[in-house]
Amino acid sequence: MGLKPATNPDVEAVAIELSIDGKSVTAKDGVSLYDVISSTGKIIPAMCYHYTFDPFGSCGMCLVMQEGKKAPVRSCTAKATAGMIIRTEGDDLFQARKKAVEKHLSVHPLDCPVCDADGHCELQDMAFQHGVTNLPNAKQKFIPEDTRSPVLDFNMNRCIACAECINVCKDVLMIDALQFMKKGGFNQVVPKGDVALSCEFCGDCLAVCPVGAITNKFSKYLYKPWQMKKTATTCNYCGDGCQMYLETKDVEVVRVTSPLSWKNKWGDRADTAKGHGGLCVRGRFGFEFIDSAARVKQPLLRKGNRLVEAPWLETMHQVVDRFSEIRRKHGSDSIAGLITARCTNEELYLFQKLMRAGFQSNQLDSSARYGHLNFVHASRHALGLGRSPNDWEDLTKAKAVIIIGSNITETNPLTAVRIKEAIRVYKAQVVVIDSAVTNMAKLASHPVLIKPGTEGLVIDGLVKATLELDLIDENSTRKHPKAFEALKAAVAQVSLEQVALQSGMSVASLKDTAAIFAEAPRSIILCAEGIVRQPDGYQNILKLIDLAWITGKLDQPGCGVNTLTEEPNEQGAVDMGAAPEFLPGQASFNDQTARDRFAKAWNVTLPVAGSGASLIEILKRCRSGQIRALYVIGENPLATLPASMEVRAALDRLELLVVQDPFLTETGRMAHAVLPACTSAEKDGTFTNLEGRVLRVREAMDPIGESLPDWHIMTAMANALGCQWEYESSNDIQAEIMKLLPGYYNLGQPRKVVPTMDRYLSHDYSTEVGARYRSSTPPGSHNQRPFALLMGQLLYHSGKMSTEAPGLMKIAPNTGRLRMNPLDMERLNVGEGMTVRLTSDRGSMQLAVQPDQSIAPQTCFFPEHFNEPPVKDLMTVQVDPTTGVPSFKQTRVTIEKA
Ligand code: SF4
Ligand code: SF4
Ligand code: SF4
Ligand code: FES
């Protein structure tokens, strides 16, 4: 029936008065009566209702009496209207609700003792509340359990046909994987088409099921809800920063739930703009890496060709002695460090402090270098902002969204749900520009398929179309006429026809997109891996900022140019200064005032200004022999970077390689010492998500084996090196950060950031804008290889860590196969599973193929999580001259039948 949020940014709902149990209540016209009643503090029974999706009205529990009506009405499906007189209590209503409970229970198996929902079951609660004790006519359904899905089991004997699972999947997630089907005389929930469930496996249907009809395969029959310790924490898979509960028993993670699982059924529908409280498949079912048998449980020391277990004390002595000796003999520039953005803010802060204050080296970097730093540098340069300006609510309530170079459902599934709500509830126009047929493209009003690597050209076209159609916001451009003239001159040579020819996005579509973006009151650009991880990423973001500037979409509320962070704390890594160019707070490492401040706070002399090296330079210096000792925390450059980067040669030359990681990675296997680190489930701290929210990470269980939190290991190492660090907990580190970066800990509420473009437009702009519109030549136009080979993320994985989670590997194993469009396979005369030879300028390999409709013709894809076969080694690496970001996710290849 579609109860929309009563208030949206464009229309304020009319306030109405109605009477509830004799009291006058003010409400918004048209919202669910159930929510109005709940807003008074009176919670009446409900089972099929949930405020995050449209009401279904099947359970018959939320009955109220409305004056003028003979029979009780279902308050969830009734809309609040002015003058209603409502009664919510009385014996008549109690009896009617009791009858509804009896009806449900009369066909319910009453197998509560073995049901996972026991103690957390709405039907059980309702039976208890209504004194249902005797069911003389109860009968069994005897429906066999559907166990075909890899993660969920469906026990339809317990189903009360409330449709919450179907509705959350259809309404909120826009996946629509479930349906009712009459089978064996009962309405049963089945996967669409009654085949094995094939969906995103987010588990939100499991979360909302009020009974135990949908069960979690991983935790079934293991424990009762009250036997588990429930820890509220933040997911450590992607930058969305979803809040979750890790439910543990001793050192075993039993299951993951989220606010949606423990929800209240009532709330203002408009609140879902900030999130619906669910999780994606990685967050919900990817937890098994935490207590995996493959965890490194004890320090390892190299003895000859082998890594052997050793006590912490001996290992740390050796590591510290070796670091000290190398530094004494070869100076501070012989030491470098790399850290993953899966570490907490506190650990990232300590890491850069250890490198700079402890080792006196500014050769340090984090995984934010793999792309996010392109965005940060461009946005800082133009706007003075070091992060995305818009939060989830802005995304949800946008009227126009351009998603360019982002397979958002795969990389940031819950931010994708915000865009889905923008489409479905707020009727946003969404333009998806991508070289793959992404999930979001299928839902968007304007899907645009472009040729791989032409994102930059398309942006040129959008800027040009905006100028040609005179979609200019004069308030923005009038203040900077010289800059505006420079931009016009820079794009004068851009031809929309040429852009269309080279990119595949038609002139009409370029013009439509420009108009949609310029004319909407709230317009947002989202760019991700297809921009920030590609050559010219920095320049392409500046061009997107140009587009937003001339259309007045930079400083208006709800507008802006944004990116997505793939790892959970890429933003935190930059903010904490885990990059040679930044001190904490993104202060420039070369800024004397900032240097003085941190030198004083840490009581050290910092490495000289202008010194330092980022990832690629560090590897180069390892190869040249300048860097002799490398400290790697959670990073795995050997498995991540293509062979042409000669990572193995770089690591081979080291006199000391120390790898600190929860797992024995490819890089770890080359190490002289491996220090076992905890996962985020075993430590406290914070992550900063893609909105800039600082979110708590809480220790849910004791460390596995002898592993220790990264901050703990770094503190011990620093003290052994002669620093006097007194941190006893992550809170102590937080206290120091708080003093140095007042306001950073924003308690989950991102500070609104305001772009300031005046300085940039009045100074550097006119001289630099010309170059960025000349650089866009489509990759590979110069060579004869007809296919684009892309590497990217899958929904079911995140980096390499998810490959340690058996549940996710079961859903999405490494097939070792190249994914191709079926038409291309037909043209090459290869069938599924047949072998092809894949050749790039870097080499050649044979592998099997599999069809994939989402892959565009003339394109092929291999998931970046897997290294067998090592497809990444076919990639050429291009390093951005301004930001040092290496791009290696795309190349040109030939494919022949082997
Ligand atoms: S797991 Fe998620 S996608 Fe799959 S049916 Fe349930 S709600 Fe839908
Ligand atoms: S499976 Fe659960 S959520 Fe779905 S209709 Fe049945 S009781 Fe409701
Ligand atoms: S969207 Fe990201 S943060 Fe949220 S549950 Fe999934 S992986 Fe975790
Ligand atoms: S009919 Fe209203 S909650 Fe089920």
Side-chain angles (χ1 to χ4, degrees):
M1 63 173 278
L3 285 179
K4 298 291 173 295
T7 302
N8 68 45
D10 304 315
V11 185
E12 187 66 28
V14 179
I16 53 159
E17 293 270 321
L18 63 161
S19 162
I20 294 174
D21 293 333
K23 285 201 185 116
S24 176
V25 174
T26 307
K28 292 174 193 164
D29 190 21
V31 300
S32 162
L33 182 57
Y34 185 88
D35 286 341
V36 179
I37 297 167
S38 307
S39 72
T40 68
K42 192 166 297 216
I43 305 303
I44 55 172
M47 282 199 292
C48 69
Y49 180 66
H50 196 279
Y51 77 99
T52 59
F53 42 85
D54 291 345
F56 187 63
S58 68
C59 76
M61 291 304 299
C62 62
L63 301 174
V64 295
M65 292 306 296
Q66 180 182 350
E67 198 167 286
K69 302 229 163 145
K70 285 198 186 117
V73 297
R74 295 174 185 221
S75 61
C76 65
T77 49
K79 289 184 183 188
T81 52
M84 267 181 162
I85 299 176
I86 300 295
R87 172 166 63 82
T88 67
E89 285 165 11
D91 192 52
D92 53 344
L93 287 171
F94 182 85
Q95 293 305 333
R97 291 171 188 153
K98 183 174 179 179
K99 259 204 186 95
V101 183
E102 285 172 346
K103 188 173 136 254
H104 291 302
L105 272 178
S106 68
V107 285
H108 200 82
L110 300 183
D111 59 350
C112 307
V114 294
C115 176
D116 285 348
D118 180 24
H120 174 214
C121 169
E122 295 175 27
L123 184 59
Q124 214 176 45
D125 294 346
M126 293 300 151
F128 181 72
Q129 278 172 25
H130 293 86
V132 179
T133 53
N134 193 10
L135 293 166
N137 299 322
K139 59 175 186 211
Q140 293 288 305
K141 294 193 230 168
F142 298 114
I143 300 169
E145 198 171 12
D146 179 355
T147 57
R148 293 173 292 179
S149 143
V151 293
L152 299 170
D153 287 343
F154 290 77
N155 183 336
M156 285 301 110
N157 298 297
R158 297 178 184 150
C159 176
I160 60 167
C162 71
E164 283 202 56
C165 54
I166 295 172
N167 287 336
V168 77
C169 191
K170 185 162 123 212
D171 259 23
V172 178
L173 308 165
M174 291 179 87
I175 296 168
D176 203 8
L178 300 171
Q179 66 172 108
F180 277 130
M181 185 179 269
K182 196 95 174 168
K183 274 172 72 178
F186 296 99
N187 229 1
Q188 298 185 33
V189 176
V190 294
K192 278 265 161 100
D194 197 15
V195 292
L197 184 62
S198 165
C199 63
E200 290 186 13
F201 297 117
C202 67
D204 275 1
C205 52
L206 162 75
V208 296
C209 181
V211 293
I214 304 180
T215 47
N216 184 334
K217 261 200 163 96
F218 299 92
S219 56
K220 198 167 152 186
Y221 300 145
L222 285 183
Y223 297 102
K224 294 291 181 187
W226 62 86
Q227 292 177 313
M228 291 180 279
K229 181 177 148 202
K230 198 167 130 208
T231 308
T233 189
T234 304
C235 175
N236 73 337
Y237 271 121
C238 87
D240 288 357
C242 295
Q243 297 304 286
M244 56 162 54
Y245 300 104
L246 273 180
E247 299 199 24
T248 51
K249 187 86 178 56
D250 307 321
V251 286
E252 183 189 4
V253 186
V254 180
R255 66 177 187 181
V256 172
T257 53
S258 71
L260 190 68
S261 318
W262 302 93
K263 80 262 160 162
N264 296 320
K265 285 181 168 291
W266 56 91
D268 189 333
R269 181 71 178 273
D271 283 349
T272 60
K274 298 188 184 100
H276 78 293
L279 295 172
C280 81
V281 58
R282 305 189 291 252
R284 196 179 303 278
F285 299 114
F287 57 85
E288 290 169 300
F289 75 94
I290 297 168
D291 50 8
S292 153
R295 284 279 302 271
V296 185
K297 299 190 183 69
Q298 213 182 321
L300 305 174
L301 269 180
R302 179 156 300 280
K303 301 259 159 83
N305 283 336
R306 291 174 50 231
L307 281 167
V308 295
E309 291 191 343
W312 263 113
L313 210 59
E314 183 192 341
T315 311
M316 283 303 266
H317 270 311
Q318 287 218 17
V319 166
V320 170
D321 285 353
R322 294 291 295 124
F323 269 131
S324 304
E325 193 191 330
I326 289 170
R327 189 173 155 209
R328 199 172 48 248
K329 279 197 193 150
H330 306 287
S332 296
D333 282 351
S334 59
I335 297 176
L338 300 172
I339 189 166
T340 173
R342 292 191 196 278
C343 279
T344 62
N345 284 319
E346 294 69 26
E347 291 166 337
L348 288 153
Y349 170 83
L350 274 202
F351 167 73
Q352 59 82 38
K353 184 174 169 181
L354 174 66
M355 295 309 299
R356 287 164 170 157
F359 290 121
Q360 286 284 303
S361 168
N362 193 33
Q363 302 175 124
L364 62 118
D365 215 347
S366 82
S367 44
R369 185 69 56 190
Y370 287 121
H372 187 51
L373 273 159
N374 264 337
F375 181 85
V376 170
H377 279 293
S379 179
R380 278 173 58 86
H381 178 58
L383 308 172
L385 295 185
R387 68 164 166 87
S388 293
N390 298 113
D391 61 14
W392 271 7
E393 187 164 6
D394 287 342
L395 299 190
T396 310
K397 294 182 176 175
K399 275 295 186 200
V401 184
I402 296 179
I403 302 178
I404 180 162
S406 167
N407 198 339
I408 184 171
T409 313
E410 311 276 323
T411 57
N412 297 73
L414 269 285
T415 303
V417 176
R418 295 300 89 232
I419 303 296
K420 290 176 185 177
E421 184 159 335
I423 294 172
R424 189 179 54 82
V425 179
Y426 292 94
K427 309 293 173 218
Q429 303 215 69
V430 175
V431 186
V432 175
I433 303 170
D434 210 282
S435 55
V437 186
T438 65
N439 167 270
M440 196 55 75
K442 291 179 197 148
L443 304 172
S445 55
H446 295 73
V448 181
L449 189 65
I450 59 166
K451 293 182 191 158
T454 60
E455 288 83 358
L457 268 176
V458 165
I459 305 168
D460 293 358
L462 291 175
V463 175
K464 177 79 174 189
T466 303
L467 289 166
E468 273 191 9
L469 297 175
D470 196 17
L471 296 163
I472 303 306
D473 175 68
E474 288 193 357
N475 282 335
S476 304
T477 52
R478 198 188 302 127
K479 284 182 263 167
H480 298 282
K482 199 170 145 218
F484 188 45
E485 285 310 314
L487 174 65
K488 283 200 275 188
V491 293
Q493 45 79 31
V494 174
S495 142
L496 291 185
E497 288 70 24
Q498 273 303 315
V499 170
L501 196 69
Q502 293 184 6
S503 70
M505 182 167 180
S506 70
V507 172
S509 182
L510 285 164
K511 287 184 174 173
D512 273 358
T513 305
I516 288 167
F517 184 74
E519 285 164 3
R522 291 176 308 284
S523 303
I524 279 182
I525 294 172
L526 268 178
C527 65
E529 71 281 0
I531 298 284
V532 299
R533 295 189 174 208
Q534 295 297 336
D536 294 329
Y538 172 78
Q539 294 292 348
N540 285 337
I541 294 156
L542 287 176
K543 291 195 287 196
L544 288 170
I545 292 172
D546 285 344
L547 178 64
W549 165 50
I550 59 174
T551 49
K553 305 300 184 197
L554 276 178
D555 47 7
Q556 295 303 309
C559 295
V561 180
N562 299 268
T563 191
L564 301 165
T565 45
E566 281 190 31
E567 288 184 357
N569 207 16
E570 289 179 39
Q571 187 61 46
V574 180
D575 295 346
M576 290 301 122
E581 62 268 49
F582 291 131
L583 284 160
Q586 293 188 21
S588 164
F589 184 75
N590 298 334
D591 178 82
Q592 196 52 47
T593 317
R595 291 171 59 80
D596 290 347
R597 196 158 66 88
F598 285 98
K600 189 166 163 223
W602 299 338
N603 196 21
V604 290
T605 310
L606 290 179
V608 292
S611 70
S614 60
L615 173 69
I616 300 302
E617 183 61 26
I618 288 175
L619 292 171
K620 212 167 163 193
R621 292 182 189 180
C622 290
R623 281 195 302 274
S624 76
Q626 179 196 319
I627 292 174
R628 290 162 187 261
L630 185 65
Y631 185 20
V632 179
I633 303 179
E635 270 299 281
N636 188 4
L638 191 58
T640 306
L641 287 159
S644 62
M645 295 312 291
E646 299 175 286
V647 180
R648 186 173 291 280
L651 302 182
D652 256 343
R653 258 208 99 172
L654 290 169
E655 288 170 29
L656 177 64
L657 172 62
V658 179
V659 173
Q660 185 169 306
D661 204 290
F663 294 94
L664 188 57
T665 61
E666 288 85 341
T667 306
R669 286 195 193 102
M670 292 187 70
H672 300 96
V674 177
L675 311 179
C678 290
T679 66
S680 63
E682 300 143 79
K683 61 191 176 190
D684 285 322
T686 56
F687 288 153
T688 303
N689 82 341
L690 48 70
E691 302 164 280
R693 282 195 285 151
V694 179
L695 302 160
R696 296 296 304 232
V697 174
R698 290 190 181 85
E699 184 184 319
M701 53 197 260
D702 290 340
I704 298 271
E706 291 190 21
S707 66
L708 289 169
D710 291 291
W711 68 262
H712 190 126
I713 305 171
M714 282 187 275
T715 303
M717 194 179 299
N719 283 329
L721 285 163
C723 307
Q724 273 149 21
W725 288 7
E726 289 171 358
Y727 312 114
E728 287 183 0
S729 70
S730 165
N731 280 347
D732 294 342
I733 309 163
Q734 266 185 37
E736 182 170 317
I737 299 171
M738 265 182 213
K739 273 195 218 141
L740 290 164
L741 307 177
Y744 190 77
Y745 288 97
N746 51 37
L747 304 174
Q749 287 304 316
R751 266 178 304 158
K752 280 277 170 210
V753 283
V754 185
T756 48
M757 214 179 167
D758 288 348
R759 183 199 47 79
Y760 166 63
L761 290 174
S762 346
H763 291 97
D764 313 328
Y765 190 86
S766 305
T767 47
E768 66 181 49
V769 67
R772 73 178 73 132
Y773 289 91
R774 280 198 296 272
S775 60
S776 299
T777 43
S781 50
H782 54 282
N783 87 25
Q784 298 307 306
R785 304 200 185 279
F787 284 89
L789 165 66
L790 306 175
M791 293 192 77
Q793 190 174 331
L794 301 177
L795 167 66
Y796 307 101
H797 288 287
S798 170
K800 306 269 183 288
M801 196 174 71
S802 60
T803 63
E804 302 287 352
L808 295 178
M809 288 302 282
K810 195 167 154 198
I811 297 171
N814 179 18
T815 60
R817 292 180 175 183
L818 185 72
R819 296 164 193 230
M820 291 182 71
N821 186 285
L823 289 176
D824 284 335
M825 286 174 61
E826 213 178 294
R827 272 192 284 272
L828 291 172
N829 195 22
V830 288
E832 180 163 9
M834 287 170 72
T835 305
V836 294
R837 171 162 291 282
L838 189 61
T839 308
S840 77
D841 288 350
R842 288 279 163 192
S844 188
M845 68 177 58
Q846 291 196 6
L847 74 174
V849 288
Q850 74 183 63
D852 188 333
Q853 289 286 3
S854 70
I855 309 294
Q858 303 272 280
T859 306
C860 55
F861 175 87
F862 196 81
E864 65 185 12
H865 319 284
F866 306 117
N867 214 8
E868 285 169 17
V871 175
K872 70 169 174 45
D873 292 342
L874 298 180
M875 297 289 174
T876 304
V877 182
Q878 274 176 267
V879 181
D880 191 289
T882 313
T883 63
V885 168
S887 318
F888 52 91
K889 298 292 179 187
Q890 190 172 316
T891 195
R892 303 296 303 183
V893 287
T894 43
I895 305 177
E896 307 146 276
K897 195 172 172 183

